[in-house]
Amino acid sequence: MKYTIRDVAKKAGVSIATVSRVLNNKDRVKEETRQKVLSVIEELNYVTNFSAKALRKNQTDVIGAIVPEIANSFYGEIIQGIENKANEYDLRLIVCDGGGKLEKELDFVRFLYDKSISGMIFILTSLSDDELVKIKKSGKPIILFGRNMQAYNIPSITVDNKRGAYKAVMHLVSHGYKKIAYISGDEAPHLPDRKERLDGYRAALQECGYEIKPEYIAGGPTQTISTVFTHLMELPEPPDAIFCAYDELALGVLKTAQQMGVKIPDDVALVGFDDLRICQYTSPPLTTVKQPTYMIGNLCCEKLIYTLDQNNEVPSVNLVIPPQLIVRESCGC
Amino acid sequence: MKYTIRDVAKKAGVSIATVSRVLNNKDRVKEETRQKVLSVIEELNYVTNFSAKALRKNQTDVIGAIVPEIANSFYGEIIQGIENKANEYDLRLIVCDGGGKLEKELDFVRFLYDKSISGMIFILTSLSDDELVKIKKSGKPIILFGRNMQAYNIPSITVDNKRGAYKAVMHLVSHGYKKIAYISGDEAPHLPDRKERLDGYRAALQECGYEIKPEYIAGGPTQTISTVFTHLMELPEPPDAIFCAYDELALGVLKTAQQMGVKIPDDVALVGFDDLRICQYTSPPLTTVKQPTYMIGNLCCEKLIYTLDQNNEVPSVNLVIPPQLIVRESCGC
DNA sequence: GTGAAAGCGCTAACAT
DNA sequence: ATGTTAGCGCTTTCAC
């Protein structure tokens, strides 16, 4: 049985307006009537119809988040951060697994965004700046993680990739490594991560007066990790350390190295980027630059809620999060 | 600018009823008018207001799913399976991270379920049978994973835990291991997994005529994995193989063993249960019993959608999924 | 094949 | 302090 506000009103002997009042406790209601209404609500087990409420108020308590891959714990942790924060504010979260496909993301935006959701969070989206601006213009607040959109007046959060890479390489240098290679993996043209991390790598070497050898910068989009790694180790002067643009690359290197009988960190040191959960369990455990995923999710959601509250009239700044070097054993330090 | 069906009607020179007709293409509309309306919709960039639609039709196109921990890739993969399937049917998914806490789950049920969602999926819920039955009675379809609720007429999906454990232990036995221990980890009183896996372990040993030694069945709720493992290895007759009730336990054993200088699989073989993503990256890679997470998510969602379509008039059966032994290196076979 | 009109359940003026 | 009422945008009879 589904009761409406009308049923409650009749049974409590008041008008529906009064019921609505106690439900939303905005206007004041006589304590006596309030109690009466409350008891009837309890008795009938009445629950508000949120579609009706949403229609009337023209806003819902649902937000959306698009991630490239939910099953990846990196994104799972971000989602968790978003969801937990959303719950604090009685907001619900619709998740969208973009699968890294632009078309799928666009579908979500079309189907979901114009729907009754209050706002949306984009995690490492494939959408172009233009598309994002268009969405933003369509009215509802959006938050981005992974791209600085301050120039477009869209609030965003980024991790200081350059600094993270710099720290990683510096750590290697300070422990005596002199021939440090960089594996970049596949490119994501719309995302600045790779480039920034490469910049950090370069900056560190430069600062130390080390030569930046082109043959030490490896890993195009089409090559497998094992080819890249093998190639690197077969160089006349193989590197004594490798910095990978992201952990999955490092994981691949770890595996290949093991198969080839190359010892890590004894033969080559290895450092990754992201700090996936797996990193603590590999052998050796992987030294890496941590992106604080849960916190990132939290912050994205907080920013969105803030924008929601402020009715979108907020200066849209980019928040940059400092990365943290997690030293484990793969760097041999 | 937000246009309504009314705007479209006016601009197209038809009634709102007609617009609704072409929108839902149920009743037939003259091809000419349909085209006209369609073009106006396109031109105005009209999108339906889903709150209104939901209110009117008294049903939404969103479903909910409760999992213990989104950030865990095991659940992440299930969520992904649910989400992907839902999208095929133009359904959206609200995720709820229960954090393993009963109270939080209950909150979701209260806050979410009675709301405008069409149905709900419970993944390894902490809710009691009674609570589940009550929810089911309240009208909307629910699906369970991890507990057989057929007796209560609630459709559910389970993995054949006993058979999985049996397979794992049998594999160990067939490769010559004779002293096989079982680590059960913390108990989840409402979930039958642990018990079933223990049963499988027992059944296998029994079938082989091996003695079931109480001291080989280890791991209460309060002990850390390292204590349990150490204790096991200090037994007058330490086991030559360990079967863990779930992968995280095995991961812990792996770590402890490494710290203690115990070689796996040379000193003790190790087998887990679940097949977390991490398992392929550990060293040695972990032999384990796979629960097909993505498929589980898919099936849960499919079952829910089916129930939705059939208006809940379906015999509620339990579907049991056969587990699969994934042989890697930790068992030394 | 198309239009008019009656609500779905709720909130928010506006009355009283 | 409480009641009356007008919609929010849509689907769906029921006429024509």
Side-chain angles (χ1 to χ4, degrees), chain B residues 141-166:
Chain B
I142 62 177
I143 306 287
L144 251 70
F145 169 69
R147 192 160 5 150
N148 186 336
M149 293 291 281
Q150 186 164 344
Y152 299 95
N153 203 35
I154 297 177
S156 53
I157 294 179
T158 54
V159 163
D160 192 339
N161 287 297
K162 183 172 175 183
R163 174 137 193 84
Y166 174 90

Side-chain angles (χ1 to χ4, degrees), chain A residues 199-243:
Chain A
D199 285 349
Y201 164 82
R202 283 209 171 98
L205 291 191
Q206 223 141 34
E207 192 174 316
C208 303
Y210 288 3
E211 187 190 350
I212 296 170
K213 296 189 184 173
E215 66 267 33
Y216 277 0
I217 299 181
T222 51
Q223 307 167 55
T224 67
I225 301 178
S226 76
T227 349
V228 172
F229 180 65
T230 314
H231 182 73
L232 231 33
M233 299 313 285
E234 281 170 352
L235 247 31
E237 204 170 357
D240 55 9
I242 298 177
F243 170 54

Side-chain angles (χ1 to χ4, degrees), chain B residues 5 20 24 46 49 56:
Chain B
I5 207 174
S20 176
N24 300 286
Y46 164 85
N49 178 319
R56 184 57 231 248

